[in-house]
Amino acid sequence: MTERETLLEDQPGPRSLTELFLTFTWLAVQGFGGVMAVAHRELVERKRWLTQAAFVEEWAVAQIMPGPNVMNLSLVIGGRRFGWRGALAAMAGMLALPLLLVLLLAVAYGRLGQHPAVVRALRGMGAVAAGLIMAAGLRLSGGLKGHPLGALACGALAVAAFGGVVLLHWPMPFVLLGLGSVACLATYARLNP
Amino acid sequence: MTAAPGAFPLHGWDWLQLFGHFLLLSLLSVGGALTTAPEMHRYLVLQQRWLSETQFSSSITLAQAAPGPNILFVALLGWNLGMNSGGPLLALAGVALALTGILLPSTIVTHLASQWGHRNRHLRAVRAFKQGMAPVVIGLMLATGWILARTAHDAGPAWPLWLLTTATALLVWRTRLHVLWLLAAGALLGILGAV
């Protein structure tokens, strides 16, 4: 086992299905404009279920598999210790309360949606939500320390992924598969067998 | 949201067709929930005319503004489809149908794959995959934030919004300020017309 993996194995995990459900409920209801940023803070910094590096790795799996990223992340983490039941508990936690809230919001929006103050408030919150996701990306770059490819190559890959999507308008799945396979092959070559 | 003018109600078989379409999209939804949004728009709004433009775009905006995973916009699409077809009861059925359809296949595939990957985590190929993807994933995350920031810029000057987005990114990166304070500040700045 490498040092990175030992760290991963030593993390304290969820103790029960209830804890899984509640943890994911709590992080979901804080997640305005997407849960990813909050998931990182709760799971890595507060609960310490995952290290920085492990979080990035699980997030990569969650992204490359079909399905919504944060739902995939929750089911991977829930499934790790408790199998199917854990995966379902984590996903249920992620969905139940937020679903109720968003439906209430939809009903309210039907009545207030045209009000200019509501429209402007949503605009401001949208800008903040975008910043939250960028901050999560910046924080995660800390997890690249000790990466087999080295800081320079990692930085170049991240910039290429960003530029491909933002400047060249490549579809995300293509970037993920295209640049991702280059990165994986290079990493494979660098890793000890 | 109420029934939209110009949108057709769904009958019996239509619901099954909708369910099948979402099951298929679930397996294609690599890279996140919002990557399937363009295809849903084509199918629901342009081809079948089950939803109006406004219903579609407000579903996405509301799901973004509410807490919880972005995939909830699919629940709101289901809600609107049901409202167009009969009322609140059908709307709840629409929510259940849409969410189950979009989540069921991807959940099964991802769970099986992740269990396999975890059992074989010491294989060089599995380690290379997980670690190799990391820098690309981080770049994509920054890109997602950028794109979300841009979509909010339909009306009014854009630079105050960019400033707010950048300030948020830096504050969250460098301090421990709670996210809710920042969101409240964003809403307040919006209401005051500063952004």
Side-chain angles (χ1 to χ4, degrees):
Chain A
M1 251 196 278
T2 66
E3 193 187 342
R4 289 165 69 89
E5 279 166 296
T6 332
L7 279 174
L8 197 157
E9 302 289 316
D10 288 345
Q11 295 298 304
R15 285 181 298 268
S16 66
L17 292 178
T18 317
E19 191 187 6
L20 264 177
F21 180 87
L22 292 177
T23 301
F24 281 100
T25 300
W26 172 235
L27 70 88
V29 294
Q30 294 181 82
F32 290 85
V35 178
M36 193 276 136
V38 187
H40 174 256
R41 201 184 57 226
E42 288 289 320
L43 298 175
V44 177
E45 288 168 18
R46 283 199 51 229
K47 289 266 171 183
R48 299 186 181 279
W49 286 354
L50 297 166
T51 60
Q52 285 275 18
F55 186 88
V56 180
E57 288 173 14
E58 298 302 354
W59 185 248
V61 175
Q63 279 221 312
I64 197 85
M65 297 312 293
N69 300 334
V70 290
M71 298 301 289
N72 281 348
L73 185 73
S74 66
L75 88 89
V76 166
I77 293 171
R80 183 74 14 107
R81 187 145 314 188
F82 295 104
W84 266 114
R85 294 177 310 138
L88 290 179
M91 285 179 79
M94 198 71 127
L95 275 181
L97 190 55
L99 179 60
L100 190 70
L101 293 176
V102 87
L103 289 179
L104 290 176
L105 197 66
V107 173
Y109 178 81
R111 296 182 188 165
L112 304 173
Q114 278 63 45
H115 199 287
V118 175
V119 176
R120 286 204 302 266
L122 283 180
R123 218 164 98 90
M125 288 171 77
V128 170
L132 294 182
I133 294 180
M134 288 190 190
L138 291 172
R139 279 199 171 181
L140 280 183
S141 54
L144 293 176
K145 236 174 247 163
H147 194 282
L149 290 180
L152 202 65
C154 282
L157 281 164
V159 169
F162 180 86
V165 171
V166 168
L167 300 176
L168 304 173
H169 305 287
W170 293 337
M172 278 203 196
F174 291 174
V175 177
L176 204 59
L177 293 175
L179 274 179
S181 49
V182 174
C184 289
L185 286 174
T187 310
Y188 186 83
R190 285 292 187 91
L191 281 176
N192 299 320
Chain B
M1 284 177 272
T2 47
F8 299 137
L10 286 81
H11 305 286
W13 285 106
D14 293 342
W15 289 105
L16 205 64
Q17 231 182 77
L18 176 79
F19 189 61
H21 193 76
F22 277 18
L23 286 176
L24 199 68
L25 277 185
S26 174
L27 289 175
L28 298 176
S29 64
V30 173
L34 288 171
T35 53
T36 53
E39 168 56 22
M40 287 182 186
H41 178 261
R42 189 198 64 75
Y43 181 71
L44 298 173
V45 179
L46 302 180
Q47 186 183 320
Q48 306 284 8
R49 295 175 182 272
W50 287 332
L51 288 181
S52 72
E53 283 288 353
T54 321
Q55 285 182 317
F56 191 87
S57 61
S58 68
S59 295
I60 292 191
T61 313
L62 280 184
Q64 296 273 6
N70 291 333
I71 192 66
L72 287 174
F73 84 90
V74 176
L76 290 182
L77 294 179
W79 173 267
N80 281 318
L81 288 165
M83 289 302 275
N84 289 350
S85 309
L89 270 183
L90 258 182
L92 286 178
V95 169
L97 193 83
L99 270 185
T100 313
I102 203 67
L103 285 175
L104 190 63
S106 65
T107 299
I108 294 172
V109 170
T110 302
H111 182 71
L112 294 177
S114 102
Q115 297 290 80
W116 180 88
H118 191 62
R119 275 196 304 277
N120 296 285
R121 62 191 173 283
H122 305 309
L123 290 182
R124 191 176 166 198
V126 172
R127 282 187 289 143
F129 169 73
K130 285 185 162 190
Q131 295 183 29
M133 291 307 288
V136 180
V137 163
I138 289 171
L140 287 181
M141 207 171 288
L142 294 172
T144 306
W146 186 278
I147 289 171
L148 279 181
R150 214 170 38 193
T151 54
H153 295 169
D154 298 340
W159 68 265
L161 285 175
W162 278 116
L163 199 64
L164 182 56
T165 301
T166 315
T168 306
L170 291 177
L171 276 173
V172 175
W173 185 27
R174 285 300 179 194
T175 71
R176 309 220 146 240
L177 202 59
H178 199 280
V179 176
L180 286 177
W181 289 114
L182 292 162
L183 282 159
L188 194 65
L189 286 171
I191 290 170
L192 297 175
V195 292

